[in-house]
Amino acid sequence: AQSVAQPEDQVNVAEGNPLTVKCTYSVSGNPYLFWYVQYPNRGLQFLLKYITGDNLVKGSYGFEAEFNKSQTSFHLKKPSALVSDSALYFCAVRDPMDSSYKLIFGSGTRLLVRP
Amino acid sequence: KAGVTQTPRYLIKTRGQQVTLSCSPISGHRSVSWYQQTPGQGLQFLFEYFSETQRNKGNFPGRFSGRQFSNSRSEMNVSTLELGDSALYLCASSLVGTTTDTQYFGPGTRLTVL
């Protein structure tokens, strides 16, 4: 069965420091991986996705993620955090062998960037 | 291009009532998916529509239903509301609903069942 794990409920980082939000996945085939961000009282905003190709994916607002097949991970990173990055981050996976097309989401990680 | 819109943004209902939520996808997008977000269960897939047909359905009771119109707009209906149906209901649209498509989400409808 497909699953996504975000092992940290919350990540705290100082503004200007690099940030990492962790994600590991489990699917039967090669995964399609996504990162979304949710601000209070808002829907999910797409940041980036990995389908195939280069393991380092660059996305919106300076975020990037690295796909690591051997560790089944897709960690979200940013070189220099901003206070405005504080939000709830979701990792999601889609198994291309699953005809249902649905996204399976992790439980979310709250990022808090302190000034 | 305008994003995904959902109406209403907030709803308060009582147990036993029914409710209809509406979603307008991004112009040109033909696939619409619905998700339920709760603190306890997280984000869960409800169903997906393409060309007015339900292609996929999640593990929810039959009280949850939906439809899609010829202009790709979608509605979901929940009948005989229960307290546990209180949640943020998110609609997402994508071009044609393939496995590589990106789903773009609306702001959600916050449903409170009293």
Side-chain angles (χ1 to χ4, degrees):
Chain A
Q2 309 158 50
S3 65
V4 177
Q6 293 182 242
E8 302 155 318
D9 289 337
Q10 182 161 313
V11 170
N12 298 303
V13 64
E15 187 173 32
N17 283 0
L19 69 88
T20 299
V21 182
K22 296 179 180 178
C23 170
T24 59
Y25 65 88
S26 175
V27 298
S28 55
N30 292 319
Y32 296 154
L33 295 155
F34 301 78
W35 275 102
Y36 287 86
V37 60
Q38 186 175 36
Y39 294 97
N41 298 317
R42 304 280 291 277
L44 274 65
Q45 185 173 333
F46 170 72
L47 285 177
L48 51 81
K49 69 180 178 183
Y50 172 82
I51 301 300
T52 187
D54 193 348
N55 289 342
L56 184 63
V57 180
K58 294 189 182 299
S60 306
Y61 313 115
F63 284 95
E64 58 189 29
E66 186 167 13
F67 171 63
N68 188 316
K69 188 172 183 178
S70 63
Q71 297 186 4
T72 61
S73 67
F74 189 56
H75 300 332
L76 181 71
K77 300 181 180 183
K78 188 174 183 181
S80 179
L82 299 173
V83 172
S84 58
D85 292 330
S86 297
L88 189 56
Y89 290 79
F90 289 95
C91 180
V93 67
R94 184 184 287 141
D95 185 346
M97 305 303 291
D98 182 355
S99 62
S100 74
Y101 175 66
K102 65 180 180 288
L103 285 170
I104 302 296
F105 285 90
S107 55
T109 297
R110 189 164 301 280
L111 174 66
L112 183 60
V113 182
R114 58 185 186 277
Chain B
K1 197 181 271 191
V4 178
T5 58
Q6 293 186 245
T7 56
R9 291 293 310 277
Y10 302 92
L11 266 178
I12 299 176
K13 293 285 187 179
T14 57
R15 280 179 299 173
Q17 288 187 307
Q18 75 166 18
V19 67
T20 299
L21 314 181
S22 181
C23 170
S24 292
I26 292 171
S27 178
H29 284 194
R30 296 169 61 193
S31 169
V32 174
S33 298
W34 290 88
Y35 292 83
Q36 182 197 63
Q37 184 178 20
T38 60
Q41 299 297 317
L43 282 150
Q44 294 185 288
F45 172 77
L46 280 157
F47 27 64
E48 185 248 348
Y49 286 86
F50 178 78
S51 291
E52 302 178 66
T53 300
Q54 185 183 90
R55 289 197 299 192
N56 299 291
K57 190 176 191 306
N59 190 25
F60 278 82
R63 300 185 296 106
F64 291 82
S65 63
R67 59 178 177 169
Q68 186 182 35
F69 302 94
S70 58
N71 61 357
S72 294
R73 190 177 69 85
S74 177
E75 290 180 346
M76 68 163 280
N77 184 277
V78 188
S79 62
T80 319
L81 284 166
E82 300 177 359
L83 294 179
D85 297 333
S86 294
L88 181 66
Y89 290 89
L90 294 165
C91 167
S93 76
S94 62
L95 274 171
V96 291
T98 66
T99 52
T100 58
D101 270 359
T102 297
Q103 290 185 334
Y104 296 92
F105 285 79
T109 294
R110 171 77 60 186
L111 172 64
T112 301
V113 182
L114 303 176

